[in-house]
């Protein structure tokens, strides 16, 4: 692995990505950037290259928390700092791994010394390292919820707090938050999404010439990193100088009333929540003007700021695609702004350089680069691929129907106590939650149980020679608090798409119910999978994933028709669960079968379905059957299937949160009886 990063100016295309990063370099108050896009689109490469362009940082010598010599933090754990000489260090980019522990992020306090000696022995974490620099989170959408909460607190307060049973340490932590994510793997919580000032969508170019240039530069860098970087040294120096000049010009930029009216009107027109969007747009437009070498904000700056600051804030639910209606944006800017004095016909794609260059694209990198493609949506994303249709027998295939409006569903839980990934569905032993007991720590102590620790140390005070008021505590006395919280599960949907379900109104209601359950899975931080069956076979329409969006897209395009191979659907679901247990043994599964219970086609289809269902019961897999049978005459086949599965059956009406109150209790009691 080379220590020489890929030069920022050598990144081909991706103009919006480079511009968003450069604007944050000019004005860190913009609030960071979220980079969304498919894998292999230079997201991480561009972010890592940015740190080399940032000016050096003046710090207090010897301070582990990067205090500024001009205004040191009065509460710095390494302080107080006396006025004196300053030293410079390169700007840092600190990377937060997805699997990092809480102590690695916020720092660790030596509990033993704090209790026995009253000493705040503190080892700083990544939030301290990132102060006055960049905090980079690759695959930020996969970050654990408790780490997300800590990031939100630090980003909101500009400080990090470490609390351990009444002993606390605080230090400044102001950083530029940069995250990258692949939407195929799931979405971000709205609270964290809003903390990113800007967002950009990136996709690989479909132009052969540009793809050739990407490969050529990547190979050249890998063969000779130092030589490749040297060839781009002049371009890097020019951009670095332009960042410094823009930072110096920034305080002189004037944001006039006309631009402010356009910003406020745009945010109101797109119905974004809160006022953060208005503030971010104002700071972005100001940074755009400074980057272009101007002291006044033009309408084109406001337009570009809206395209960067609003797309991720206008999502109303996880299935809404990010983006802006640019025609509506232009109409709003025309209505609330007077562009006659500045630019009667502003170019929505401004030029790269100079005071007359408009909104400030990054500098050109040569004719071989071609046009940027960062703003284009993926043409062949996972949600757009046509699904192969299983062979249909009997009734003909019918086209897909739209889902009915989603609704709030009852909570479906897996019985028992798990130890899976933190989430919001089923009971589990977790690092966060209510305290249920104490145990000896396995590894590093993270959550001290104070009462149990004192109880363990108390009988040994005389033999340890205690003479004063302080308690003599040794490492063997420390007790870790055991806590109970919630975990996320794998919710595997097994959906009957056969001819018996194909009545348009009925299938629309079924899809609406599944869509409602998907929304619930998104809110509870579950993985989801989708198995469908019709005709003579079953297929995995969506392997288990954290991307609830992808599941919704697959569901929307699901056609119906043919016989009902119920056994095939159950067997395919059983195989999916078997593979997932090998990949993630701690994550428990909840199988949701959506069917009217009919089984047709093949030899003894009902008996085969019963045998397949009993496989789930034998393994103790939690299951729910959503009974889609309708009409005045009901056969009760879905209820029989639920009995074979060892689960419970609910109707579409009973699935609603305002219907039966005992659904969760029924699921749990069924699981308890099966375990007994």
């Amino acid at each position: 692995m080379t220590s020489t990063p890929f030069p920022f100016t050598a990144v081909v295309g991706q103009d919006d990505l480079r511009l968003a990063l450069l604007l944050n370099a000019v004005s860190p108050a913009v609030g960071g950037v979220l980079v969304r896009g498919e894998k292999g689109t230079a997201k991480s490469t561009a972010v890592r290259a940015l740190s080399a362009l940032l000016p050096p940082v003046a710090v207090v010598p010897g301070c582990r928390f990067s205090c500024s010599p001009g205004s040191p933090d009065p509460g710095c754990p390494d302080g107080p700092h006396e006025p004196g000489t300053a030293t410079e260090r390169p700007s840092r980019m600190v990377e937060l791994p997805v699997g990092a522990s809480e102590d690695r992020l916020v720092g660790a306090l030596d509990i033993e010394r704090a209790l026995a000696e009253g000493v705040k022995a503190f080892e700083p974490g990544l939030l301290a390292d990132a102060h006055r620099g960049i905090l980079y989170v690759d695959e930020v959408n996969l970050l654990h919820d408790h780490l997300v909460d800590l990031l939100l607190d630090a980003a909101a307060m500009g400080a990090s707090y470490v609390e351990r049973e009444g002993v606390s340490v605080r230090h400044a932590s102001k950083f530029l938050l940069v995250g990258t994510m692949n939407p195929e793997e799931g979405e971000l919580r709205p609270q964290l999404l809003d903390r990113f000032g800007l967002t950009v969508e990136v996709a690989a170019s479909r132009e052969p010439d540009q793809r050739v240039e990407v490969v050529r530069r990547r190979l050249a860098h890998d063969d000779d990193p130092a030589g490749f970087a040297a060839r781009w040294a002049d371009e890097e120096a020019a951009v670095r100088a332009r960042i410094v000049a823009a930072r110096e010009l920034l305080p002189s930029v004037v944001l006039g009333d006309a631009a402010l009216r356009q910003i406020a009107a745009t945010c109101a027109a797109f119905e974004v929540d809160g006022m953060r969007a208005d503030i971010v747009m104002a700071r972005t437009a100001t940074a755009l003007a400074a980057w272009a070498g101007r002291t006044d904000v033009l309408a084109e700056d406001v337009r570009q700021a809206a395209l960067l600051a609003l797309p991720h804030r206008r999502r109303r639910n996880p299935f809404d695609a990010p983006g802006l209606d640019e025609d509506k944006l232009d109409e709003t800017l025309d209505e609330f702004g007077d562009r006659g004095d500045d630019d009667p016909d502003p170019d929505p794609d401004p030029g790269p350089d100079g005071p007359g260059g408009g909104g400030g694209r990054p500098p050109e990198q040569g004719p071989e680069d071609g046009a940027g493609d960062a703003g284009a949506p993926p043409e062949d994303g996972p949600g757009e691929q046509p699904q192969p249709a299983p062979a249909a027998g009997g009734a003909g295939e019918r086209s897909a129907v739209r889902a009915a409006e989603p609704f709030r569903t009852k909570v479906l839980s897996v019985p028992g106590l798990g130890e899976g990934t933190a989430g919001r569905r089923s009971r589990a032993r977790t690092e966060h939650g209510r305290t249920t007991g104490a145990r000896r720590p396995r590894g590093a102590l993270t959550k001290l149980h104070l009462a149990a620790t004192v109880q363990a140390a108390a009988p040994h005070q005389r033999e340890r020679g205690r003479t004063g008021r302080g308690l003599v505590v040794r490492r063997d006395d420390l007790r870790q608090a055991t806590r109970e919280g919630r975990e996320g599960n794998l919710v595997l949907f097994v959906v009957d798409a056969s001819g018996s379900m194909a009545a348009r109104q009925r299938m629309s209601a079924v899809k609406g119910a599944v869509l409602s359950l998907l929304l619930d899975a998104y809110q509870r931080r579950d993985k989801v999978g989708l198995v469908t069956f019709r005709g003579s076979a079953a297929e995995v329409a969506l392997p288990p994933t954290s991307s609830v969006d992808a599941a919704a897209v697959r569901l929307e395009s699901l056609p119906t028709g043919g016989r009902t191979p119920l056994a095939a659907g159950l067997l395919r679901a059983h195989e999916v669960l078997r593979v997932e247990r090998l990949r993630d043994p701690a994550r428990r599964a909840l199988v949701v079968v959506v069917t009217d219970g009919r089984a047709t086609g093949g030899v003894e289809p009902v008996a085969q379905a019963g045998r397949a269902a009993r496989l789930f019961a034998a393994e103790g897999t939690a299951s729910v059957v959503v009974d889609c049978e309708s009409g005045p005459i009901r056969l009760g086949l879905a209820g029989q299937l639920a009995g074979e599965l060892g689960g419970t059956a609910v109707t579409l009406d009973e699935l609603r949160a305002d219907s039966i109150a005992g659904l969760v209790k029924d699921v749990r009691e069924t699981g308890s009886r099966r375990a007994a």
Side-chain angles (χ1 to χ4, degrees):
M1 182 176 178
T2 178
S3 59
T4 304
F6 194 90
F8 186 86
T9 51
V11 175
V12 178
Q14 309 296 16
D15 286 348
D16 286 344
L17 169 59
R18 293 185 293 123
L19 176 61
L21 292 172
L22 289 170
L23 292 177
N24 276 277
V26 171
S27 176
V30 166
V33 58
L34 174 65
V35 188
R36 298 165 46 94
E38 57 198 24
K39 52 187 176 292
T41 48
K43 301 188 298 293
S44 300
T45 298
V47 174
R48 292 190 175 100
L50 175 67
S51 61
L53 294 178
L54 298 181
V57 177
V59 297
V60 174
C63 178
R64 297 175 297 167
F65 301 87
S66 301
C67 281
S68 171
S71 55
D73 179 11
C76 176
D78 284 354
H81 298 298
E82 297 293 333
T85 60
T87 184
E88 283 192 347
R89 63 161 176 79
S91 184
R92 288 178 183 158
M93 189 197 75
V94 177
E95 188 163 352
L96 172 60
V98 169
S101 66
E102 179 179 337
D103 284 349
R104 183 71 187 98
L105 177 61
V106 302
L109 194 65
D110 191 327
I111 302 297
E112 184 178 2
R113 293 189 64 192
L115 288 176
E117 305 173 29
V119 176
K120 293 182 180 179
F122 181 67
E123 183 66 29
L126 296 177
L127 289 179
D129 294 341
H131 181 45
R132 303 177 67 200
I134 301 172
L135 182 62
Y136 172 48
V137 189
D138 194 13
E139 305 293 353
V140 64
N141 50 325
L142 303 183
L143 200 63
H144 289 178
D145 275 1
H146 69 284
L147 297 182
V148 169
D149 292 335
L150 293 170
L151 271 182
L152 289 174
D153 290 342
M157 297 184 292
S160 174
Y161 292 84
V162 183
E163 302 285 346
R164 290 292 189 274
E165 305 297 339
V167 181
S168 64
V169 173
R170 174 213 165 273
H171 64 83
S173 181
K174 297 179 180 179
F175 47 82
L176 172 62
L177 183 60
V178 179
T180 58
M181 61 174 284
N182 185 346
E184 298 175 30
E185 297 170 335
E187 279 295 340
L188 277 175
R189 285 170 54 183
Q191 296 94 327
L192 183 57
L193 197 62
D194 190 50
R195 287 293 176 187
F196 287 97
L198 311 179
T199 186
V200 292
E201 296 278 334
V202 297
S205 172
R206 305 303 188 227
E207 293 295 329
D209 290 344
Q210 193 171 72
R211 296 175 75 98
V212 166
E213 187 60 28
V214 169
V215 175
R216 181 182 290 121
R217 294 188 187 182
R218 183 76 254 181
L219 294 178
H221 175 265
D222 292 345
D223 290 342
D224 182 11
F228 185 81
R231 291 197 294 273
W232 289 88
D234 291 343
E235 287 82 355
E236 294 281 286
V239 174
R240 191 178 298 110
R242 187 172 175 184
I243 291 174
V244 172
R247 283 186 172 186
E248 293 174 351
L249 182 63
L250 187 64
S252 303
V253 176
V254 177
L255 183 65
D257 289 342
L260 274 174
R261 281 196 302 271
Q262 288 181 316
I263 290 170
T266 300
C267 292
F270 286 99
E271 300 180 347
V272 296
D273 296 330
M275 296 297 297
R276 183 173 283 115
D278 303 63
I279 296 170
V280 170
M281 273 191 65
R283 289 171 172 166
T284 305
T286 303
L288 279 162
W291 177 250
R294 289 184 273 100
T295 57
D296 55 337
V297 175
L298 305 182
E300 62 212 47
D301 300 324
V302 176
R303 186 183 194 278
Q304 183 67 56
L307 293 174
L308 293 172
L310 296 188
H312 60 304
R313 292 186 165 91
R314 62 163 296 276
R315 289 172 60 114
R316 314 313 297 180
N317 66 62
F319 306 142
D320 289 341
L324 287 183
D325 182 341
E326 295 195 31
D327 291 337
K328 180 179 178 180
L329 173 61
D330 290 334
E331 291 173 4
T332 304
L333 293 176
D334 285 337
E335 180 180 356
F336 289 91
D338 181 9
R339 296 192 267 196
D341 295 336
D342 297 329
D343 186 355
D345 186 20
D347 180 6
D349 187 18
D353 289 317
R361 292 285 183 182
E364 291 290 345
Q365 302 166 22
E368 72 274 13
D369 289 350
D373 59 357
E379 296 179 13
D380 298 315
E384 303 300 328
Q385 296 173 357
Q387 295 299 305
E397 180 179 303
R398 304 190 184 187
S399 60
V401 298
R402 295 189 62 84
E405 282 297 314
F407 51 84
R408 189 166 65 90
T409 67
K410 285 290 186 182
V411 180
L412 306 178
S413 300
V414 178
L417 194 63
E419 295 183 342
T421 303
R424 298 177 182 174
R425 184 172 296 279
S426 305
R427 294 174 56 221
R429 298 182 185 90
T430 62
E431 288 294 317
H432 300 268
R434 63 185 182 90
T435 300
T436 58
R439 60 171 173 80
R440 290 182 181 272
R442 296 190 288 266
L445 178 71
T446 56
K447 298 291 182 182
L448 177 73
H449 195 296
L450 183 58
T453 299
V454 171
Q455 187 175 6
H460 308 290
Q461 296 306 296
R462 185 185 296 265
E463 63 189 70
R464 292 175 183 175
R466 172 185 168 184
T467 57
R469 300 177 59 186
L471 188 69
V472 180
V473 179
R474 294 181 180 172
R475 184 163 297 279
D476 288 344
D477 302 326
L478 299 179
R479 295 294 182 268
Q480 173 86 21
T482 57
R483 303 194 175 201
E484 182 179 309
R486 295 281 171 178
E487 67 177 0
N489 299 116
L490 166 59
V491 182
L492 182 61
F493 295 93
V494 185
V495 180
D496 184 348
S498 64
S500 66
M501 300 278 289
R504 298 188 71 83
Q505 185 175 0
R506 184 179 179 192
M507 198 61 198
S508 177
V510 168
K511 285 188 175 183
V514 178
L515 190 65
S516 304
L517 290 167
L518 285 171
L519 277 167
D520 183 67
Y522 166 77
Q523 294 164 352
R524 300 186 188 281
R525 315 301 289 171
D526 295 315
K527 289 181 72 173
V528 296
L530 179 61
V531 172
T532 64
F533 58 94
R534 65 190 180 97
S536 60
E539 67 167 333
V540 181
L542 183 71
T545 176
S546 296
S547 178
V548 178
D549 304 52
V553 171
R554 297 290 199 274
L555 178 72
E556 193 68 29
S557 61
L558 178 65
T560 58
R563 296 186 181 276
T564 311
L566 178 57
L570 295 175
L571 289 173
R572 181 59 64 91
H574 185 267
E575 176 63 16
V576 169
L577 293 185
R578 185 189 69 80
V579 174
E580 279 302 302
R581 287 192 193 102
L582 297 175
R583 292 175 176 169
D584 191 358
R587 189 183 291 269
R588 298 185 296 163
L590 173 64
V591 177
V592 180
V593 185
V594 185
T595 182
D596 57 10
R598 289 179 171 84
T600 60
V603 179
E604 297 183 335
V606 176
Q608 289 185 28
R611 286 193 290 270
R614 287 191 289 275
L615 293 174
F616 293 87
E619 295 174 351
T621 303
S623 60
V624 177
V625 177
V626 180
D627 184 357
C628 302
E629 193 173 26
S630 61
I633 300 176
R634 296 176 180 265
L635 303 179
L637 298 176
Q640 295 176 25
L641 176 62
E644 299 277 12
L645 286 165
T648 187
V650 296
T651 65
L652 289 174
D653 290 336
E654 291 171 342
L655 191 61
R656 294 179 179 271
D658 55 359
S659 59
I660 59 173
L663 177 57
V664 178
K665 181 181 177 182
D666 291 344
V667 176
R668 289 176 175 167
E669 287 181 348
T670 302
S672 300
R673 289 196 300 270
R674 184 168 64 239

